[in-house]
DNA sequence: ATCAAAATCATACTAAAGTATGAGGTTAAT
DNA sequence: ATTAACCTCATACTTTAGTATGATTTTGAT
């Protein structure tokens, strides 16, 4: 059953051919009677098979597809923080200094930063002072502001 | 000339038809000699016109267009700060408190904020304390952090 | 191995930030 | 006119931040 469904085009084509050949056979007899109708007969045949060809073509060939790609702009919320490595290099902030700066940006107190990084309060003070020097600021709030502007922290 | 180019398919079809009819005429003569070749002749005719039909179909049908919409991510620098008025209302920050908060976010010291807003240092301290209360934080850095997260300052 | 930069921590100090409380003055709504 | 919220400022105090200086230790590069 599935075979029939799958190959129905081929079967149909075969059947059509058979039917047409029979028709031709009948017309063959007609030709004896009305002799000069041959051109009409041939024309009809041509038309029929042309139609069959067209139909076949449509059935059997998958349609041509012109794929039109339309680019739709999707606004992506710029979490896209691109670290400004040039600035970072220029400023010469060390790893630890960056960590302290980041913690400051998170709103932590020096005490809390010390706890986070397992360092003493004094060490944090030293580091933050260095950060301020390098960023040429006086306060942690300014440091965070500037660091954000320079894209060295998110 | 343009007419020829535009309708070349039709012209070709017509020409093919003419050629085939001539072929048939020739074959008609052949039929007299080899009589039972008629089935072969018909079969050939059928095949030819089927092929013609297929060719015609392919030429004449315009291709289907599959429009594929590709979502392309476009990075838009979200300067687009949308003030979260809901949060602002919920927190109940006053005008002055907002001004102080903004100045804090700009990295100013309380002294500088006082100068900017023509207020005394003590007034700024009062305001900032209120801001901290309302934002439920202890330090200015945390206040700025939270305010930014809540989208009440850029 | 040596040298410089980085990292750690301390002490001592100053400056700024933050808290608590109270007291007038202004303004807008009832 | 009264009330409540807001704004202003002050004093007194505590806490945190920031500066200056110096010492010791790690670490990476020559």
């Amino acid at each position: 059953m599935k075979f029939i469904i799958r190959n129905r085009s081929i079967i149909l084509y075969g059947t059509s051919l058979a039917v047409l050949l029979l028709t031709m056979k009948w017309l063959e007899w007609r030709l004896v009677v009305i002799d000069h109708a041959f051109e009409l007969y041939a024309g009809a045949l041509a038309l029929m098979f042309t139609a069959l060809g067209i139909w076949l073509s449509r059935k059997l060939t998958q349609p041509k597809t012109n794929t039109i790609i339309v680019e739709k702009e999707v606004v992506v919320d710029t979490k896209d923080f691109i670290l400004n490595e040039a600035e970072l290099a220029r400023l010469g902030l060390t790893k630890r200094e960056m960590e302290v700066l980041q913690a400051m940006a998170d709103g932590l107190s020096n005490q809390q930063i010390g706890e986070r990084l397992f360092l003493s309060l004094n060490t944090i003070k030293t580091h933050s002072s260095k950060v301020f020097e390098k960023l040429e600021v006086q306060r942690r709030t300014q440091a965070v502001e500037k660091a954000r502007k320079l894209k060295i922290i998110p």
Side-chain angles (χ1 to χ4, degrees), chain A:
Chain A
M1 189 61 192
K2 275 187 177 175
F3 175 84
I4 294 168
I5 292 166
R6 278 194 195 136
N7 300 68
R8 70 192 155 197
S9 291
I10 290 157
I11 290 162
L12 256 169
Y13 179 65
T15 314
S16 303
L17 240 168
V19 169
L20 283 163
L21 284 172
L22 280 171
T23 313
M24 286 191 304
K25 263 295 180 202
W26 173 74
L27 282 168
E28 184 180 7
W29 169 78
R30 296 281 297 169
L31 278 173
V32 182
V33 184
I34 309 139
D35 195 46
H36 282 289
F38 182 82
E39 280 83 356
L40 272 172
Y41 161 68
L45 199 67
L47 272 175
M48 280 190 291
F49 274 93
T50 304
L52 185 68
I54 290 169
W55 172 79
L56 251 185
S57 172
R58 284 181 162 278
K59 278 283 162 191
L60 294 179
T61 62
Q62 57 257 51
K64 283 180 197 169
T65 52
N66 276 3
T67 302
I68 298 170
I69 295 171
V70 178
E71 284 185 355
K72 186 188 174 190
E73 291 195 351
V74 177
V75 177
V76 179
D77 206 16
T78 49
K79 291 176 186 20
D80 64 344
F81 166 69
I82 318 117
L83 197 143
N84 189 339
E85 299 190 53
E87 272 304 322
L88 230 176
R90 196 181 64 79
L91 294 168
L93 284 168
T94 68
K95 220 172 303 168
R96 268 306 199 212
E97 286 161 2
M98 277 302 295
E99 288 173 326
V100 171
L101 175 58
Q102 182 58 67
M104 282 185 348
D106 292 343
L108 301 188
S109 68
N110 286 342
Q111 188 65 56
Q112 290 172 314
I113 297 171
E115 283 159 22
R116 180 193 271 192
L117 302 177
F118 305 104
L119 297 175
S120 82
L121 173 60
N122 285 312
T123 306
I124 303 305
K125 285 186 175 183
T126 307
H127 283 315
S128 50
S129 274
K130 279 286 184 73
V131 170
F132 301 154
E133 262 179 52
K134 291 181 179 177
L135 287 178
E136 297 172 292
V137 297
Q138 291 76 235
R139 268 172 296 288
R140 63 216 284 93
T141 43
Q142 290 181 326
V144 171
E145 244 282 294
K146 189 154 189 178
R148 252 188 252 278
K149 256 188 194 149
L150 296 177
K151 299 265 186 196
I152 59 176
I153 54 165

